[in-house]
Amino acid sequence: MAIEQPMSSSIPVRITRQECQRQAQKCIDESTKAPHPVLQAHWLDLADRWVTVAERLFQIKRDPPS
């Protein structure tokens, strides 16, 4: 039996650029195993989103908001 956790935006989450890149690679690996081209495309889209998050993290660290 799975227990559902309520989603809350007030819980701080610490994620690194390396973790984003690792997750992106996992998505790419899953895309190669996907049985249908649509699923492959969705996995690759998710990988692209992880890469975008990693790039934003790098940008924020380099140029903190003022």
Side-chain angles (χ1 to χ4, degrees), residues 20-32:
C20 292
Q21 292 168 336
R22 189 178 73 78
Q23 292 296 330
Q25 185 59 54
K26 284 174 59 176
C27 293
I28 292 168
D29 295 344
E30 287 296 324
S31 77
T32 63

Side-chain angles (χ1 to χ4, degrees), residues 3-64:
I3 299 174
E4 291 187 28
Q5 297 286 331
M7 295 292 288
S8 172
S9 60
S10 63
I11 299 173
V13 176
R14 200 173 281 288
I15 189 163
T16 64
R17 194 170 105 197
Q18 291 78 18
E19 178 62 19
C20 292
Q21 292 168 336
R22 189 178 73 78
Q23 292 296 330
Q25 185 59 54
K26 284 174 59 176
C27 293
I28 292 168
D29 295 344
E30 287 296 324
S31 77
T32 63
K33 296 186 261 180
H36 194 277
V38 172
L39 291 174
Q40 291 173 351
H42 286 295
W43 278 113
L44 291 174
D45 180 56
L46 185 56
D48 185 55
R49 291 171 189 247
W50 277 111
V51 169
T52 300
V53 169
E55 289 170 349
R56 287 182 182 166
L57 283 173
F58 180 72
Q59 184 67 31
I60 289 170
K61 285 184 178 181
R62 195 177 64 190
D63 300 324

